[in-house]
Amino acid sequence: MDANHSKCLDGERPLGGAVLPMNTLSTSVLEHELSELRLILERQAGVLLDTPAEILSDVLRKYLLSKHQGSVQDMLSLLRSSDAECERLLEPLLDPQTGFFRYPQAFEALATLVLPDLQTRKLAENPHSLRVWSAGCSSGEEAYSIAMSVCDALNCNGGGWNVRIIGSDIRRPALEVAQRGLYPESGLQQVSRQRVQTYFVRVGQHLLVKPRVRNLVTFTPMNLAKPDYLGRFDCIFCMDVLPHFSMSQRVALTQRLHLYLEPGGYLFLGQNEKLPAVDVAFRPHKTGSYTLYQKPMAAAAGQGR
Ligand SMILES: C[S@@+](CC[C@H](N)C(=O)[O-])C[C@H]1O[C@@H](n2cnc3c(N)ncnc32)[C@H](O)[C@@H]1O
C-alpha cells in the first residue's frame, strides 16, 4: 500500500469480505482508487457520485468478482477504455426514481401551454409532426406519461399527427422494463381512472400499456454525457438528471439539449431544478410553481446542427 496518499478504507480488512470468495477477500480498495473511479465515471458518464465510500467499494468488489478481475488497477484501466463497462458498473449506483406524471405541474404545462402552442404553429404542416425526447427516462413511466398527454390532446390516431416519442437511458435493465410496458398497479396512483381505463389493460396485479400508446414510443440506450444526435425535438424532458451531473457536464448537456431543440421548442426539467448558467438563450415560462424553458424562435438562424 502506498502510505503517502492512500489508505485502505477499512484498515487492512476489505469491506463486506464475509460474503466474498478468497480471491476477492484479498482485494482492498484504497481511497485513491475510489477517487480515481469517481473521476472516470464523471468523465465517461457525467455523474458526480456522492455514494458513500463503503457502498462504492462494495459495488466495485462485486463488479471485480463478476469480471473475474483480480486487481482494482486492472479494472480501472478497463473502465478508462470502455464506456460499456462504465455503464454496467454504474447501473446499481444511479438514482432510478421515477413515476407516471411524476411532476403534475409539468404535465399540466404540457397539456395547457405547450401542446396547444405546437398545435397552432404546426397547422401548416402536413402531416403535422411532433417529436419528443424523454432523456433519462428510467423505466419508461415518463415517456408513457408524455404519450398519454399527447394522445389526450391531439387524438393522434385520427388527427393527422405523426408523433414520435423517444425514451433513452444509460441503464439497459431499466429500458427493458420500459419496453415491456408492464407496471404494478401500485405504481399508477398518479394516473387518473379515466386514463387507466383508456390506455392500460389489466394483467393480474399489473397494468400493461396499450399498443395505442406503446406504438408512439421508442426506447434506446444512450449516455447523456456523449449523446447521439437523434434529430431536432419539439420538446425535451430531462427531469432529475442534471442534478446528478458535475457542473461542467451539466453545462455541456444543457448546451447540447438547446442545440437539439427546434426553434420554439420546450425543455422540461424536474420540479425544483434550476437551469445552469449557459451561454445559450432559453426563455423561462412560469406556470404555478413550475418553470419550463423555451428556445427562442429567433435562435433558428444562429444555431448549428
Ligand atoms: C432520478 S431518475 C429520473 C427519471 C425520469 N426522468 C423522471 O424524472 O421520472 C434519473 C435517470 O437518469 C439516468 N441517467 C443518469 N446518468 C445518465 C447518463 N449519463 N446518461 C443517460 N441517463 C442517465 C438514470 O439511469 C436514471 O434513470
Side-chain angles (χ1 to χ4, degrees):
M1 185 174 28
D2 179 352
N4 286 332
H5 69 295
S6 60
K7 72 184 170 67
C8 185
L9 280 169
D10 49 350
E12 296 305 314
R13 189 172 44 83
L15 293 168
V19 291
L20 297 173
M22 283 313 285
N23 62 341
T24 314
L25 274 174
S26 62
T27 308
S28 302
V29 184
L30 308 175
E31 269 182 7
H32 80 95
E33 290 169 331
L34 280 191
S35 304
E36 174 67 12
L37 176 66
R38 288 182 204 273
L39 216 64
I40 294 171
L41 295 178
E42 192 270 330
R43 213 175 297 136
Q44 304 277 55
V47 287
L48 202 56
L49 288 178
D50 56 3
T51 316
E54 295 197 2
I55 295 174
L56 196 54
S57 305
D58 206 38
V59 168
L60 203 94
R61 269 197 296 274
K62 284 184 181 140
Y63 185 77
L64 273 175
L65 197 58
S66 74
K67 301 302 293 179
H68 307 292
Q69 294 268 352
S71 112
V72 176
Q73 281 306 325
D74 286 350
M75 201 213 57
L76 290 176
S77 321
L78 179 67
L79 289 170
R80 247 180 248 115
S81 63
S82 166
D83 287 1
E85 293 300 335
C86 281
E87 288 165 17
R88 216 159 296 143
L89 178 74
L90 270 172
E91 271 165 22
L93 294 168
L94 294 176
D95 173 9
Q97 215 180 316
T98 189
F100 288 99
F101 300 96
R102 185 164 171 224
Y103 296 119
Q105 293 202 15
F107 286 93
E108 183 71 19
L110 176 68
T112 59
L113 191 133
V114 172
L115 291 173
D117 175 44
L118 292 170
Q119 248 175 316
T120 311
R121 280 199 272 137
K122 285 171 177 267
L123 266 183
E125 282 181 20
N126 195 12
H128 323 302
S129 78
L130 180 73
R131 300 191 80 242
V132 184
W133 181 17
S134 170
C137 68
S138 197
S139 38
E141 290 89 333
E142 181 179 282
Y144 289 129
S145 303
I146 298 165
M148 285 185 262
S149 305
V150 168
C151 278
D152 283 349
L154 305 184
N155 179 25
C156 22
N157 273 353
W161 281 86
N162 182 3
V163 176
R164 181 89 343 252
I165 297 162
I166 295 175
S168 71
D169 204 279
I170 197 169
R171 289 179 304 120
R172 285 165 196 259
L175 291 175
E176 281 164 23
V177 175
Q179 195 73 48
R180 230 172 287 137
L182 185 66
Y183 299 95
E185 193 172 5
S186 57
L188 275 86
Q189 276 155 8
Q190 295 269 56
V191 188
S192 69
R193 251 169 99 104
Q194 171 73 39
R195 280 184 171 140
V196 171
Q197 280 170 3
T198 311
Y199 298 123
F200 290 86
V201 57
R202 179 171 289 285
V203 181
Q205 296 297 303
H206 288 66
L207 290 157
L208 182 67
V209 179
K210 282 187 182 171
R212 178 181 171 193
V213 173
R214 286 164 65 94
N215 292 343
L216 301 180
V217 188
T218 308
F219 292 102
T220 184
M222 196 193 297
N223 177 359
L224 288 171
K226 304 170 180 182
D228 302 321
Y229 179 64
L230 301 174
R232 296 278 187 109
F233 292 92
D234 299 296
C235 298
I236 299 178
F237 284 67
C238 189
M239 294 176 149
D240 272 2
V241 179
L242 289 171
H244 299 285
F245 275 31
S246 67
M247 190 46 79
S248 62
Q249 295 268 15
R250 268 184 226 186
V251 169
L253 178 56
T254 308
Q255 283 170 336
R256 196 58 78 95
L257 296 179
H258 185 274
L259 188 67
Y260 291 179
L261 274 174
E262 292 281 6
Y266 293 90
L267 174 64
F268 290 77
L269 300 179
Q271 176 78 43
N272 297 312
E273 277 180 61
K274 294 248 174 325
L275 198 68
V278 280
D279 60 0
V280 288
F282 276 110
R283 188 154 81 89
H285 292 273
K286 205 161 167 55
T287 62
S289 62
Y290 183 75
T291 304
L292 75 155
Y293 300 90
Q294 185 177 25
K295 176 171 171 172
M297 298 294 287
Q303 299 298 322
R305 265 154 221 283

